Amino acid sequence: MTLFRPNWQALLSLLATLYSLTAVPFTATMNGSSSYLVIALLLLGAIGSMLRLSAMLEIAILVVSSLGAAALLIGGLTDATGTANAGYFAGLTAAWLLGWRLVTVLSGDGRNLGTLSSLLVPTLFGIWVLILWEAIVRGTGIPFVLLPPPSAIAVRVTTSTSILMADFNQTVLKAVLFGYIVGSLTGFIVAILADRYRFLANGLLPVGNMASALPMIGVAPVMVIWFGFDWQSKAAVVVVMTFFPMLVNTIAGLASAGEMERDLMRTYASTRWQSLFKLRLPAAMPFIFNALKINSTLALIGAIVAEFFGTPVVGMGFRISTEVGRMNLDMVWAEIALAAVVGSLFYGALALLERAVTFWHPSYRR
């Protein structure tokens, strides 16, 4: 058995690190010793990753080398934005390749590292997106109005907590939640009725297809005229956007129960309602949760866009539209980040609930 186990990420990282030696120091304020420390960390990671070590030791080396080198490179841009040279970007590329190797090892790479890797991999992926965003924007000196770095957005989030919370309360807790619950619940109830009375299904499904094609920017101003400038008009937009996905998915789900199961229920002399609650609704649950997950993103998008057409001086959509005009792009990105976090948590909570309710579904079998 040989001591070395080469991999392409480590080899490319080694080449990039050797190239970075041609341009030391890396930035205007980064001295030579800091640059050589970055190079030493990268060499440690590249060579250590090619040795036949245990998985945990390789992971520890890759974490220290890739994240340590990235932190030193970003720290070297203090008061030196836009002064990064070719060696800086070669070092950044080498650190990113080691991070890629780290994710590959955590993802399996032929070895079973347990379920913890399923959480670490997406976390590391997100961290590296932020690292590359910060390092490239500050290293190349991209103007703040075009794309602020994540550090500036984080500062804005911490200094504007009260504004963000007020916008969250207005947009999410009032408009989104109310519209989401009313739209989804109404769609579910009408689907039950449409399943009982076929003329409702025959009449509503074409209307649902037509409503799905309606432009939101045309519906939102109408709702503002009908229900006023406060959150009620945004909730009405959300109701319109969430009603038909739930209706269509629930009707499809109720029809998904097999003929053999229905015949079995009939042999038990079950009533229509017993067949509905004990067979057809459980079979429809994957479809219903699919609609709930689709509606979770539609509701947030609908409420934010509806606020562009009239709202009190609070709300996520209102803030985005006004701060763009003032060129406060860090505030705009702070609102975008808040919407992304809220939407992801909402979707994740529904996915967990779906897994608990539809644990019997074949898609969850390993």
Side-chain angles (χ1 to χ4, degrees):
M1 179 181 294
T2 60
L3 180 62
F4 281 94
R5 186 187 53 199
N7 59 82
W8 67 270
Q9 292 105 332
L11 286 171
L12 289 178
S13 176
L14 187 60
L15 291 176
T17 304
L18 294 176
Y19 177 79
S20 69
L21 281 167
T22 62
V24 175
F26 295 146
T27 69
T29 59
M30 195 172 187
N31 55 37
S33 59
S34 297
S35 301
Y36 285 119
L37 179 57
V38 171
I39 292 170
L41 283 172
L42 294 174
L43 289 174
L44 170 67
I47 296 172
S49 177
M50 288 190 287
L51 296 177
R52 194 172 292 278
L53 305 173
S54 66
M56 295 309 297
L57 182 57
E58 183 180 0
I59 289 171
I61 291 174
L62 288 171
V63 168
V64 171
S65 58
S66 61
L67 296 181
L72 288 172
L73 286 170
I74 292 174
L77 288 169
T78 304
D79 299 326
T81 300
T83 63
N85 58 22
Y88 175 91
F89 290 106
L92 180 65
T93 303
W96 169 66
L97 286 166
L98 293 179
W100 188 340
R101 175 62 188 169
L102 173 61
V103 171
T104 302
V105 174
L106 286 171
S107 298
D109 197 21
R111 293 164 293 191
N112 184 14
L113 298 175
T115 55
L116 183 62
S117 63
S118 62
L119 295 176
L120 288 176
V121 169
T123 303
L124 281 170
F125 195 90
I127 289 173
W128 270 103
V129 169
L130 294 177
I131 288 174
L132 292 175
W133 181 356
E134 178 82 16
I136 293 173
V137 168
R138 292 179 58 194
T140 56
I142 293 176
F144 189 84
V145 294
L146 291 182
L147 184 62
S151 57
I153 299 170
V155 170
R156 172 60 80 170
V157 169
T158 56
T159 57
S160 304
T161 307
S162 58
I163 296 175
L164 292 172
M165 286 305 298
D167 294 341
F168 172 78
N169 180 59
Q170 175 74 12
T171 302
V172 178
L173 297 185
K174 291 181 178 177
V176 171
L177 281 186
F178 182 84
Y180 178 84
I181 293 171
V182 171
S184 298
L185 186 61
T186 308
F188 176 78
I189 293 172
V190 173
I192 297 293
L193 294 175
D195 179 70
R196 177 67 179 86
Y197 305 102
R198 293 305 300 172
F199 75 93
L200 269 179
N202 295 335
L204 281 174
L205 286 179
V207 175
N209 293 330
M210 186 181 70
S212 300
L214 288 177
M216 187 171 47
I217 57 172
V219 174
V222 174
M223 293 298 167
V224 170
I225 294 171
W226 285 0
F227 296 101
F229 283 90
D230 211 342
W231 63 270
Q232 291 86 351
S233 56
K234 287 72 189 173
V237 173
V238 175
V239 169
V240 171
M241 294 185 69
T242 56
F243 174 81
F244 287 104
M246 177 58 76
L247 173 69
V248 172
N249 277 276
T250 304
I251 290 176
L254 290 173
S256 65
E259 284 299 325
M260 289 182 64
E261 290 83 0
R262 296 187 192 203
D263 287 342
L264 180 63
M265 294 298 289
R266 281 193 284 268
T267 60
Y268 290 155
S270 61
T271 64
R272 183 179 186 85
W273 292 109
Q274 285 175 324
S275 177
L276 175 66
F277 287 109
K278 294 185 178 181
L279 172 64
R280 301 178 67 207
L281 268 181
M285 278 301 162
F287 293 83
I288 293 171
F289 273 101
N290 189 40
L292 288 174
K293 289 190 289 186
I294 292 171
N295 285 348
S296 69
T297 53
L298 284 178
L300 194 58
I301 294 170
I304 291 175
V305 173
E307 288 178 351
F308 280 64
F309 298 93
T311 184
V313 289
V314 66
M316 297 168 76
F318 163 79
R319 196 74 56 196
I320 291 172
S321 62
T322 55
E323 297 300 333
V324 163
R326 297 172 182 169
M327 303 301 284
N328 291 331
L329 272 296
D330 52 346
M331 190 66 201
V332 173
W333 280 95
E335 293 284 356
I336 293 172
L338 176 63
V341 170
V342 170
S344 299
L345 291 176
F346 197 5
Y347 189 94
L350 287 171
L352 289 175
L353 183 62
E354 178 187 19
R355 196 178 183 87
V357 173
T358 62
F359 60 90
W360 47 267
H361 196 268
S363 62
Y364 293 125
R365 294 174 188 164
R366 292 181 180 274

